[in-house]
Amino acid sequence: MIMMDSIPWSTIMVVTSWYSSNIGVLLMNKYLLTNYGFKFPVFLTMCHMMCCSIFSFIGIQVMDIVPFQSIQSREQLVKICVLSLVFCFSVVCGNVSLNYIPVSFNQAIGATTPFFTAVCAYFVTRKREAWLTYATLLPVVAGVIIASESEPSFNLFGFIICVSSTFSRAFKSVLQDLLLSSEGEKLNSMNLLLYMAPMAMLVLLPATLLMEKNVIQITIDVARNDIRIIGFLLFSSSLAYFVNLTNFLVTKHTSALTLQVLGNAKGAVAVVVSILIFKNPISMIGMCGYAFTVLGVILYTEAKKRYS
């Protein structure tokens, strides 16, 4: 049994910060997009990418959190651009889904990421897992089906968009391993964000102007009546960066496997917190379905550890 005294305080602080930023950005985005009524998810994502670009530059070039890694070739730049597009699509879809479904259901769907990762890995790289590893994915999918069937706030469009976000997030992780696999091309997550965030912002700027016309003027008009909107956008955008920063630090202080295990628990905590704050209705069957999914993810993590 691991005693709390044996865990360094720095690790405890990093994990706490990771939980806080992950859950915080979800709740903040949900509040902005639904409760507050700021229904501009693409613009919100662009603000996130802008903040990630600025903070990444400061963190790496000024504060020297991690050593700067330069792009080595045009081919590597193209690969990062592809990853940036997939990353951008994933974040936008995730934010759009919060317009239609509660955070608890969003997290239940997000827990199926290992399933989509395994599927993508098989079709893209032909990588096969042990049969027991694939078997553990059955309760992951079954749990989401149960949760969907009994979700009081179910919305088909929100469900499809959230699944799209989850799939593209899994697809990005597989592409990242495939495209940046050679030693000369590998970038740590913070340097990768330094390059991806500005690229995503350049994609999101015209998308925002086309899909959410006059959003900048609308934001200015809202700010004249309620200056809090500026603080909300800055806070949400800052949290988006700290999600990536603390994700990197947790892996550095523990391991990638520990990050997966903590991520499973984080999803459950986010569900409970969102229900307490937003008081969205949820059935007992839905909770059982989500618990079933989390159990499947835990079994999947154990199977990957044993058979990889």
Side-chain angles (χ1 to χ4, degrees):
M1 184 176 178
I2 299 174
M3 302 298 292
M4 286 296 290
D5 291 344
S6 66
I7 303 174
W9 271 104
S10 58
T11 303
I12 295 173
M13 290 298 292
V14 164
V15 171
T16 302
S17 299
W18 183 63
Y19 264 55
S20 301
S21 56
N22 265 276
I23 297 172
V25 75
L26 267 172
L27 299 179
M28 191 71 239
N29 290 350
K30 179 64 177 177
Y31 174 77
L32 269 171
L33 294 168
T34 55
N35 296 61
Y36 190 83
F38 190 80
K39 297 184 179 296
F40 302 105
V42 182
F43 176 71
L44 178 61
T45 307
M46 191 187 74
C47 291
H48 287 182
M49 293 303 103
M50 185 185 302
C51 202
C52 284
S53 301
I54 295 169
F55 283 179
S56 294
F57 179 82
I58 294 172
I60 294 173
Q61 297 282 28
V62 179
M63 299 177 65
D64 199 27
I65 294 176
V66 294
F68 172 70
Q69 295 173 292
S70 60
I71 295 176
Q72 300 299 316
S73 64
R74 180 177 296 180
E75 183 183 0
Q76 187 186 18
L77 178 61
V78 171
K79 291 175 179 179
I80 294 172
C81 286
V82 173
L83 286 173
S84 180
L85 288 172
V86 178
F87 172 65
C88 181
F89 180 77
S90 172
V91 177
V92 169
C93 285
N95 285 338
V96 170
S97 71
L98 291 173
N99 258 327
Y100 301 93
I101 59 175
V103 172
S104 54
F105 191 39
N106 174 284
Q107 288 294 286
I109 297 170
T112 60
T113 300
F115 167 78
F116 289 111
T117 303
V119 171
C120 289
Y122 177 78
F123 285 104
V124 175
T125 66
R126 294 296 173 185
K127 179 183 177 182
R128 295 188 179 186
E129 304 286 353
W131 69 268
L132 188 60
T133 304
Y134 286 122
T136 60
L137 293 171
L138 293 176
V140 173
V141 178
V144 170
I145 293 173
I146 294 170
S148 302
E149 286 293 324
S150 59
E151 172 58 47
S153 306
F154 181 83
N155 179 281
L156 182 59
F157 179 74
F159 174 78
I160 293 172
I161 290 294
C162 193
V163 169
S164 300
S165 173
T166 305
F167 174 81
S168 55
R169 186 163 59 246
F171 186 49
K172 173 191 166 288
S173 66
V174 173
L175 276 182
Q176 188 171 323
D177 288 339
L178 180 67
L179 297 180
L180 303 178
S181 56
S182 67
E183 285 301 318
E185 290 183 331
K186 282 184 179 178
L187 298 171
N188 63 52
S189 59
M190 296 312 299
N191 273 276
L192 187 58
L193 183 66
L194 175 68
Y195 293 116
M196 285 173 52
M199 292 177 187
M201 192 176 69
L202 291 176
V203 173
L204 288 166
L205 180 58
T208 300
L209 296 176
L210 286 171
M211 298 170 64
E212 300 174 346
K213 296 178 180 178
N214 301 321
V215 64
I216 295 175
Q217 185 59 51
I218 292 171
T219 305
I220 293 171
D221 292 339
V222 171
R224 284 173 180 161
N225 296 317
D226 186 2
I227 196 64
R228 291 182 305 163
I229 185 62
I230 304 299
F232 290 153
L233 289 173
L234 286 173
F235 184 53
S236 176
S237 300
S238 299
L239 284 174
Y241 171 74
F242 283 108
V243 166
N244 292 280
L245 174 62
T246 53
N247 187 85
F248 170 79
L249 292 175
V250 168
T251 306
K252 183 179 178 181
H253 280 74
T254 56
S255 66
L257 182 62
T258 303
L259 183 72
Q260 284 184 310
V261 175
L262 290 170
N264 300 337
K266 183 265 298 179
V269 173
V271 168
V272 173
V273 173
S274 69
I275 292 171
L276 291 174
I277 292 177
F278 297 111
K279 303 189 186 305
N280 54 281
I282 186 167
S283 66
M284 186 57 67
I285 296 176
M287 286 295 291
C288 290
Y290 181 65
F292 206 45
T293 295
V294 172
L295 175 63
V297 173
I298 293 171
L299 292 174
Y300 172 79
T301 303
E302 288 298 313
K304 282 278 287 183
K305 182 172 64 174
R306 182 170 298 183
Y307 295 105
S308 294

